[in-house]
């Protein structure tokens, strides 16, 4: 399923993001950038050990040893992945008492698109950030993702954005969020 927004294309698909051939894929990382489970684990596994070395270098040099903040992004090469780059971001860990988690999740998508644009990339694939281990409600996360991506594409000539969902259920939820936009 896809829609066009100006010259841009937003596509939903079911699959394994480590197989995507977009210029960049987005990793739902944690602040340490030292890998983990879920999509983070899959991306590090597919990219190979050089990705962890690159993340260590980013942590030391770019982040001065600090953790990557929620909603923030950094970029590394993709190494053994078909994608040339990995944009790492940290989604919010669901906590209904935290007031600004919707904005933090939106920042993951917007900052990744801005960073890809700054690197003159014209294609990017996103997983469903924060809806796994971080337990962010799927329906709300899908609405935030679709709204943030479509808002960006309405004002920027970017290219191709893919949401790569891991399950049929996730795909259906994102499809209904996209239908509401249309
Ligand atoms: N391709 C695409 N999507 C995937 C893949 C894959 N290979 N593997 C998992 N997913 C999906 C999950 O099904 C979920 O829909 O990615 C989405 C995000 O789930 P998580 O990977 O658990 O990420 P998140 O909820 O953001 O939690 C991040 O988990 O793995 C750790 O180090 C990571 O601490 C961080 C936390």
């Amino acid at each position: 399923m896809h829609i066009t927004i100006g010259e841009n294309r937003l596509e939903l698909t079911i699959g394994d993001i480590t197989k995507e051939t977009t210029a960049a894929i987005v990793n739902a990382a944690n602040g340490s950038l030292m890998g983990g489970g879920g999509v983070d684990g899959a991306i590090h596994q597919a990219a190979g050990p050089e990705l962890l070395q690159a993340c260590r270098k980013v942590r030391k040099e770019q982040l001065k040893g600090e953790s990557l903040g929620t909603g923030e992004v950094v970029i590394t090469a993709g190494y053994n992945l078909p994608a040339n780059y990995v944009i790492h971001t940290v989604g919010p860990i669901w906590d209904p008492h935290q007031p600004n988690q919707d904005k933090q999740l939106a920042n993951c998508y917007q900052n990744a698109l801005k960073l890809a644009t700054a690197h003159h990339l014209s294609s990017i694939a996103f997983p469903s950030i924060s809806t796994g281990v971080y337990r962010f409600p799927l329906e709300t996360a899908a609405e935030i993702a679709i709204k943030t991506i479509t808002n960006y594409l309405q004002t920027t000539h970017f290219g191709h954005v893919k949401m790569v969902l891991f399950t049929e259920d996730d795909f259906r939820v994102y499809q209904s969020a996209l239908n509401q936009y249309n």
Side-chain angles (χ1 to χ4, degrees), residues 71 73 89-92 104-113 126 129:
V73 290
T89 192
V90 180
Q104 287 179 322
L105 183 58
N107 287 342
C108 292
Y109 289 95
Q110 188 168 51
N111 289 334
L113 286 164
F126 286 99
I129 300 169

Side-chain angles (χ1 to χ4, degrees), residues 144-155:
I144 292 166
I146 295 300
K147 184 169 178 299
T148 308
I149 294 168
T150 50
N151 283 351
Y152 188 83
L153 296 182
Q154 273 159 358
T155 58

Side-chain angles (χ1 to χ4, degrees), residues 70-93:
T70 303
E72 297 303 316
V73 290
V74 290
I75 191 167
T76 65
Y79 301 103
N80 301 337
L81 287 163
N84 293 329
Y85 296 95
V86 181
I87 291 178
H88 307 261
T89 192
V90 180
I93 301 173

Side-chain angles (χ1 to χ4, degrees), residues 10-79:
L10 171 54
E11 183 184 355
L12 303 183
T13 183
I14 300 175
D16 174 355
I17 201 168
T18 67
K19 306 275 191 273
E20 287 300 321
T21 57
T22 45
I25 63 170
V26 174
N27 180 21
N30 61 65
S32 76
L33 293 181
M34 293 297 110
V39 72
D40 193 7
I43 288 173
H44 274 272
Q45 176 74 30
E50 289 174 288
L51 181 60
L52 188 57
Q53 286 165 11
C55 288
R56 282 208 180 93
K57 191 166 184 297
V58 164
R59 177 102 193 257
K60 184 164 173 279
E61 293 174 8
Q62 202 175 322
L63 301 177
K64 310 291 179 223
E66 298 297 316
S67 297
L68 182 63
T70 303
E72 297 303 316
V73 290
V74 290
I75 191 167
T76 65
Y79 301 103

